[in-house]
Amino acid sequence: MSTPLLQQFPSLAACPAPFLKDLLSSPELTEAFLFTLPEVQDLAAEVERLGKENEEIAKRNMELRDELFALRDATAQSYAHAEGMKARWADIEKAQGNLYQRYRPSFLHLRLKHSLTAQDDASEKIASAFIENRPLGIHPSLAGSSTSLPGGSGYTSRVDSPVPGDSTPTADRNAGRSVEEFIQEFKAARKVYHKRAIWAERWSRGEVAWRDD
């Protein structure tokens, strides 16, 4: 007859039934007898072995405690540094994107168009200043300015007053010099304008290519 007790401790099958009944009637006798069984002895040896291994592991952990604490702190610092670098990279990537945006072909093309319009306006201002008989580079509000004569007499002298002893009218000399300056300045301005216009036209036709490197 098989019982749970016999299944757990097969060596009890060799014991007579009256002995087992007497054994079960006394807990002290039962405990003492069970520790004599091979199965229990093997189990006790295994428990003892595991206990010793746990003690060795605990001892090893105590020896490594300081090193493990230092490693934990270093790991925390490395993680914080990595998070800081991650945030910094986000800022750098944003700044790089903004910088690259300024040099995108589409943005440069737009800047070229704007500079073309601005250069055309600048050349028109040069021509308007010449037509209005204003000295080149002088604002209209300053073209008719006057200076006081030495001595504080209160009389004023025009900037274009003739030089004593010079029979050539100052206006004629200034006009001649202004024409030359106007031609040079206007030609230079229009030269820049036409260069930009040529590049803008070629760009619009798709004849301008930008390399990524």
Side-chain angles (χ1 to χ4, degrees), residues 45-186:
E46 181 68 15
V47 171
E48 184 178 2
R49 184 183 65 81
L50 292 176
K52 290 181 179 180
E53 290 182 357
N54 288 336
E55 290 179 359
E56 291 294 331
I57 293 174
K59 182 179 178 181
R60 178 61 177 167
N61 288 339
M62 291 298 295
E63 294 175 353
L64 296 176
R65 182 179 62 176
D66 295 338
E67 183 179 351
L68 293 176
F69 283 163
L71 180 60
R72 183 189 63 181
D73 295 339
T75 302
Q77 293 177 2
S78 298
Y79 179 78
H81 178 71
E83 288 295 318
M85 295 300 294
K86 182 179 179 181
R88 182 183 177 188
W89 170 249
D91 295 337
I92 294 176
E93 190 174 22
K94 181 179 179 181
Q96 184 180 15
N98 294 334
L99 182 62
Y100 182 71
Q101 176 67 27
R102 296 170 53 189
Y103 296 97
R104 288 181 181 273
S106 58
F107 185 74
L108 293 177
H109 191 195
L110 181 63
R111 289 185 59 186
L112 178 59
K113 290 182 177 180
H114 288 173
S115 67
L116 181 63
T117 302
Q119 187 65 23
D120 188 38
D121 294 340
S123 62
E124 290 297 328
K125 290 180 180 179
I126 294 173
S128 298
F130 176 75
I131 293 173
E132 295 173 4
N133 293 324
R134 285 188 283 105
L136 297 179
I138 299 180
H139 193 272
S141 62
L142 302 178
S145 61
S146 60
T147 57
S148 299
L149 291 174
S153 60
Y155 294 98
T156 59
S157 173
R158 302 289 295 179
V159 175
D160 54 356
S161 298
V163 178
D166 190 352
S167 59
T168 304
T170 303
D172 293 341
R173 289 187 292 102
N174 286 342
R177 184 169 60 251
S178 296
V179 169
E180 294 178 359
E181 293 177 354
F182 163 72
I183 292 175
Q184 293 178 359
E185 187 173 358
F186 187 77

Side-chain angles (χ1 to χ4, degrees), residues 187-206:
K187 285 177 63 177
R190 296 307 294 178
K191 182 178 180 180
V192 173
Y193 170 81
H194 287 297
K195 283 185 177 180
R196 294 178 181 178
I198 292 173
W199 278 110
E201 183 179 357
R202 292 182 59 186
W203 203 331
S204 299
R205 293 199 303 261

Side-chain angles (χ1 to χ4, degrees), residues 21-32:
K21 290 181 180 180
D22 294 338
L23 184 65
L24 294 176
S25 63
S26 174
E28 294 80 3
L29 182 61
T30 301
E31 182 178 358

